[in-house]
Every structure is written in C-alpha cells, then in structure tokens.
Coordinates of all heavy atoms in Angstrom, one line a residue:
A1 N 109.3 -98.5 -43.7 CA 110.4 -99.4 -44.0 C 111.4 -98.9 -44.9 O 112.7 -99.0 -44.7 CB 109.9 -100.7 -44.4
A2 N 111.0 -98.2 -45.9 CA 111.8 -97.6 -46.9 C 112.7 -96.5 -46.4 O 113.8 -96.2 -46.9 CB 111.1 -97.1 -48.1
K3 N 112.4 -95.9 -45.2 CA 113.2 -94.9 -44.6 C 114.3 -95.5 -43.8 O 115.0 -94.8 -43.1 CB 112.3 -94.0 -43.7 CG 111.3 -93.2 -44.5 CD 110.4 -92.3 -43.6 CE 109.4 -91.6 -44.3 NZ 108.4 -90.8 -43.5
M4 N 114.2 -96.8 -43.7 CA 115.4 -97.5 -42.9 C 116.1 -98.4 -43.8 O 116.0 -99.7 -43.7 CB 114.7 -98.2 -41.8 CG 114.0 -97.3 -40.8 SD 113.3 -98.1 -39.4 CE 114.9 -98.2 -38.4
P5 N 117.0 -97.9 -44.7 CA 117.8 -98.7 -45.6 C 118.5 -99.9 -45.0 O 119.2 -99.7 -43.9 CB 118.7 -97.8 -46.2 CG 118.1 -96.4 -46.0 CD 117.3 -96.5 -44.8
G6 N 118.4 -101.0 -45.5 CA 119.1 -102.2 -44.9 C 118.3 -103.0 -43.9 O 118.6 -104.1 -43.5
Q7 N 117.2 -102.3 -43.4 CA 116.4 -102.9 -42.4 C 115.0 -103.0 -42.8 O 114.0 -103.3 -42.0 CB 116.5 -102.1 -41.1 CG 117.9 -102.0 -40.5 CD 117.9 -101.1 -39.2 OE1 117.1 -100.3 -39.0 NE2 119.0 -101.3 -38.4
E8 N 114.7 -102.9 -44.1 CA 113.3 -102.9 -44.6 C 112.6 -104.1 -44.2 O 111.4 -104.0 -43.7 CB 113.3 -102.7 -46.1 CG 113.8 -101.3 -46.6 CD 115.2 -101.4 -47.0 OE1 116.0 -102.4 -46.5 OE2 115.8 -100.5 -47.6
Q9 N 113.1 -105.2 -44.4 CA 112.5 -106.5 -44.1 C 112.2 -106.7 -42.7 O 111.1 -107.1 -42.2 CB 113.3 -107.8 -44.6 CG 112.5 -109.0 -44.6 CD 111.3 -109.0 -45.5 OE1 111.3 -108.4 -46.5 NE2 110.2 -109.6 -45.0
M10 N 113.1 -106.2 -41.8 CA 112.9 -106.3 -40.4 C 111.7 -105.4 -39.9 O 110.9 -105.8 -39.0 CB 114.2 -105.8 -39.6 CG 114.1 -106.0 -38.1 SD 115.7 -105.6 -37.2 CE 115.7 -103.8 -37.5
V11 N 111.7 -104.2 -40.5 CA 110.6 -103.3 -40.1 C 109.2 -103.8 -40.6 O 108.2 -103.8 -39.8 CB 110.8 -101.8 -40.8 CG1 109.6 -101.0 -40.7 CG2 112.0 -101.2 -40.2
L12 N 109.1 -104.4 -41.8 CA 107.9 -104.9 -42.3 C 107.5 -106.2 -41.4 O 106.2 -106.2 -41.1 CB 108.0 -105.4 -43.7 CG 108.1 -104.2 -44.7 CD1 108.5 -104.8 -46.1 CD2 106.9 -103.4 -44.7
Q13 N 108.5 -106.9 -41.0 CA 108.1 -108.0 -40.1 C 107.6 -107.6 -38.8 O 106.7 -108.2 -38.2 CB 109.3 -109.0 -39.9 CG 109.6 -109.9 -41.1 CD 110.9 -110.6 -40.9 OE1 111.6 -110.4 -39.9 NE2 111.1 -111.6 -41.9
Y14 N 108.2 -106.5 -38.3 CA 107.7 -105.9 -37.0 C 106.2 -105.6 -37.1 O 105.4 -105.9 -36.2 CB 108.5 -104.7 -36.7 CG 107.9 -103.9 -35.5 CD1 108.0 -104.3 -34.2 CD2 107.2 -102.7 -35.8 CE1 107.5 -103.5 -33.2 CE2 106.6 -102.0 -34.8 CZ 106.8 -102.3 -33.5 OH 106.2 -101.7 -32.5
Y15 N 105.9 -104.9 -38.2 CA 104.4 -104.6 -38.4 C 103.5 -105.8 -38.6 O 102.5 -105.8 -38.0 CB 104.2 -103.5 -39.5 CG 104.7 -102.1 -39.1 CD1 105.8 -101.6 -39.7 CD2 104.0 -101.5 -38.2 CE1 106.2 -100.3 -39.4 CE2 104.4 -100.1 -37.8 CZ 105.5 -99.6 -38.4 OH 105.9 -98.4 -38.1
Q16 N 104.1 -106.7 -39.3 CA 103.2 -107.9 -39.6 C 103.0 -108.8 -38.3 O 102.0 -109.4 -38.1 CB 104.0 -108.8 -40.6 CG 103.9 -108.3 -42.0 CD 104.7 -109.1 -42.9 OE1 105.6 -110.0 -42.5 NE2 104.6 -108.8 -44.2
N17 N 104.0 -108.8 -37.4 CA 103.9 -109.6 -36.2 C 103.4 -108.8 -34.9 O 103.4 -109.3 -33.9 CB 105.3 -110.1 -35.8 CG 105.8 -111.1 -37.0 OD1 105.0 -111.8 -37.6 ND2 107.1 -111.2 -37.2
N18 N 103.0 -107.5 -35.2 CA 102.6 -106.6 -34.0 C 101.3 -106.0 -34.3 O 101.4 -104.9 -34.9 CB 103.8 -105.7 -33.7 CG 103.6 -104.9 -32.4 OD1 102.4 -104.9 -31.9 ND2 104.6 -104.4 -31.9
P19 N 100.2 -106.6 -33.9 CA 98.9 -106.0 -34.1 C 98.7 -104.6 -33.6 O 98.1 -103.7 -34.2 CB 97.9 -107.0 -33.5 CG 98.6 -108.3 -33.4 CD 100.1 -107.9 -33.2
E20 N 99.3 -104.3 -32.5 CA 99.2 -102.9 -31.9 C 99.9 -102.0 -32.8 O 99.5 -100.8 -32.9 CB 99.9 -102.9 -30.5 CG 99.1 -103.7 -29.5 CD 99.8 -103.6 -28.1 OE1 100.8 -103.0 -27.9 OE2 99.2 -104.3 -27.2
A21 N 101.1 -102.3 -33.4 CA 101.8 -101.4 -34.3 C 101.0 -101.2 -35.5 O 100.8 -100.0 -36.0 CB 103.1 -102.0 -34.7
M22 N 100.3 -102.2 -36.1 CA 99.4 -102.0 -37.1 C 98.3 -101.1 -36.8 O 97.8 -100.2 -37.6 CB 98.8 -103.3 -37.7 CG 99.9 -104.3 -38.3 SD 100.7 -103.6 -39.8 CE 99.5 -104.1 -40.9
Q23 N 97.7 -101.2 -35.6 CA 96.6 -100.4 -35.1 C 97.1 -98.9 -35.0 O 96.3 -98.0 -35.3 CB 96.1 -100.9 -33.8 CG 94.8 -100.3 -33.4 CD 93.6 -100.7 -34.5 OE1 93.7 -101.7 -35.1 NE2 92.7 -99.7 -34.5
D24 N 98.4 -98.7 -34.6 CA 99.0 -97.4 -34.6 C 99.0 -96.8 -35.8 O 98.7 -95.5 -36.0 CB 100.4 -97.4 -33.9 CG 100.4 -97.7 -32.4 OD1 99.3 -97.6 -31.7 OD2 101.4 -98.0 -31.9
L25 N 99.4 -97.6 -36.9 CA 99.4 -97.1 -38.3 C 98.0 -96.6 -38.7 O 97.8 -95.6 -39.4 CB 99.9 -98.0 -39.2 CG 101.5 -98.4 -39.2 CD1 101.8 -99.4 -40.2 CD2 102.2 -97.1 -39.4
R26 N 97.0 -97.5 -38.4 CA 95.6 -97.1 -38.7 C 95.2 -95.9 -38.0 O 94.6 -95.0 -38.7 CB 94.7 -98.3 -38.3 CG 93.2 -98.1 -38.6 CD 92.3 -99.2 -38.1 NE 92.6 -100.4 -38.7 CZ 92.2 -100.8 -40.0 NH1 91.5 -100.1 -40.7 NH2 92.5 -102.0 -40.4
G27 N 95.5 -95.7 -36.8 CA 95.3 -94.4 -36.1 C 95.9 -93.2 -36.7 O 95.3 -92.2 -36.8
F28 N 97.2 -93.4 -37.1 CA 97.9 -92.3 -37.7 C 97.2 -91.9 -39.0 O 97.1 -90.7 -39.3 CB 99.4 -92.7 -37.9 CG 100.2 -91.8 -38.9 CD1 100.6 -90.7 -38.4 CD2 100.3 -92.1 -40.2 CE1 101.4 -89.8 -39.2 CE2 101.1 -91.3 -41.0 CZ 101.5 -90.1 -40.5
L29 N 96.9 -92.9 -39.8 CA 96.4 -92.6 -41.2 C 94.9 -92.0 -41.0 O 94.5 -91.1 -41.7 CB 96.2 -93.9 -42.0 CG 97.6 -94.4 -42.4 CD1 97.4 -95.9 -43.1 CD2 98.2 -93.4 -43.5
M30 N 94.2 -92.4 -40.0 CA 92.9 -91.8 -39.7 C 93.0 -90.4 -39.3 O 92.2 -89.5 -39.8 CB 92.2 -92.6 -38.6 CG 90.7 -92.2 -38.3 SD 89.7 -92.7 -39.7 CE 89.7 -94.5 -39.6
E31 N 94.0 -90.1 -38.4 CA 94.2 -88.7 -38.1 C 94.6 -87.8 -39.2 O 94.1 -86.7 -39.4 CB 95.3 -88.6 -37.0 CG 95.0 -89.1 -35.7 CD 96.0 -89.2 -34.7 OE1 97.1 -88.5 -34.9 OE2 95.9 -89.7 -33.5
E32 N 95.4 -88.4 -40.1 CA 95.7 -87.6 -41.3 C 94.6 -87.2 -42.2 O 94.5 -86.2 -42.7 CB 96.8 -88.4 -42.2 CG 98.2 -88.5 -41.5 CD 98.9 -87.2 -41.5 OE1 99.0 -86.6 -42.5 OE2 99.4 -86.8 -40.4
K33 N 93.7 -88.3 -42.4 CA 92.5 -88.0 -43.2 C 91.5 -87.0 -42.5 O 91.0 -86.2 -43.1 CB 91.7 -89.3 -43.4 CG 92.5 -90.3 -44.4 CD 91.6 -91.5 -44.7 CE 92.3 -92.3 -45.9 NZ 91.3 -93.4 -46.3
M34 N 91.4 -87.2 -41.1 CA 90.6 -86.1 -40.5 C 91.2 -84.7 -40.6 O 90.4 -83.8 -40.8 CB 90.5 -86.6 -39.0 CG 89.5 -87.7 -38.8 SD 89.5 -88.4 -37.1 CE 89.7 -87.0 -36.1
L35 N 92.5 -84.6 -40.5 CA 93.1 -83.3 -40.5 C 92.8 -82.7 -42.1 O 92.6 -81.5 -42.3 CB 94.6 -83.3 -40.3 CG 94.9 -83.4 -38.8 CD1 96.4 -83.6 -38.7 CD2 94.5 -82.2 -38.1
D36 N 93.1 -83.6 -43.0 CA 92.8 -83.2 -44.4 C 91.4 -82.8 -44.6 O 91.1 -81.7 -45.3 CB 93.1 -84.4 -45.3 CG 94.6 -84.7 -45.5 OD1 95.4 -83.8 -45.2 OD2 94.9 -85.8 -46.0
L37 N 90.4 -83.4 -44.0 CA 89.0 -82.9 -44.1 C 88.8 -81.6 -43.4 O 88.2 -80.7 -44.0 CB 88.1 -84.0 -43.4 CG 86.6 -83.7 -43.4 CD1 86.0 -83.7 -44.8 CD2 85.9 -84.6 -42.4
V38 N 89.4 -81.4 -42.2 CA 89.3 -80.1 -41.6 C 89.8 -79.0 -42.4 O 89.2 -78.0 -42.5 CB 89.9 -80.2 -40.2 CG1 90.0 -78.8 -39.6 CG2 89.1 -81.1 -39.2
I39 N 91.0 -79.3 -42.9 CA 91.7 -78.2 -43.8 C 90.8 -78.0 -45.0 O 90.6 -76.8 -45.4 CB 93.1 -78.7 -44.1 CG1 94.0 -78.6 -42.9 CG2 93.7 -77.8 -45.2 CD1 95.3 -79.3 -43.1
E40 N 90.4 -79.0 -45.6 CA 89.5 -78.9 -46.8 C 88.2 -78.0 -46.6 O 87.8 -77.2 -47.3 CB 89.1 -80.3 -47.3 CG 88.2 -80.2 -48.5 CD 87.7 -81.6 -48.9 OE1 88.6 -82.6 -49.0 OE2 86.5 -81.8 -49.1
K41 N 87.6 -78.2 -45.4 CA 86.3 -77.6 -45.0 C 86.5 -76.3 -44.4 O 85.6 -75.5 -44.2 CB 85.5 -78.5 -44.2 CG 85.0 -79.7 -44.9 CD 84.0 -80.4 -44.2 CE 83.5 -81.6 -45.1 NZ 82.1 -81.8 -44.9
A42 N 87.8 -76.0 -43.9 CA 88.0 -74.6 -43.3 C 87.8 -73.5 -44.3 O 88.1 -73.6 -45.5 CB 89.4 -74.7 -42.8

C-alpha cells in the first residue's frame, strides 16, 4: 500500500475484503521464506 501514494487506504481495503488476495500474499511470503532457506543451506 505504501508503494501507491494517495491510494494506501484503497489498497488495504482491497486486501481486507479479498480473501484470495490475502492468500496470494501468504503464498508470496512463503515462497520468499523457502528461497531464503534454500540460499542459506546452499
């Protein structure tokens, strides 16, 4: 939301009202953590 100046509230409401978008964020963060683990163990 911070990357969209002037539209922060709209972006946050989008995520709050859209369970699929929240699930996408969860998937993105999970992928990031998995990549961090792979890099750490490489």
Side-chain angles (χ1 to χ4, degrees):
K3 293 179 181 179
M4 301 186 75
Q7 299 178 341
E8 295 91 347
Q9 193 60 35
M10 183 178 68
V11 172
L12 289 174
Q13 285 177 350
Y14 168 76
Y15 283 113
Q16 290 172 349
N17 297 327
N18 190 338
E20 288 179 7
M22 292 296 274
Q23 195 63 25
D24 287 346
L25 287 180
R26 180 181 298 279
F28 168 77
L29 292 169
M30 189 67 71
E31 287 177 12
E32 289 292 309
K33 287 185 174 190
M34 287 175 29
L35 285 173
D36 289 344
L37 177 69
V38 169
I39 291 169
E40 176 185 312
K41 292 190 177 223

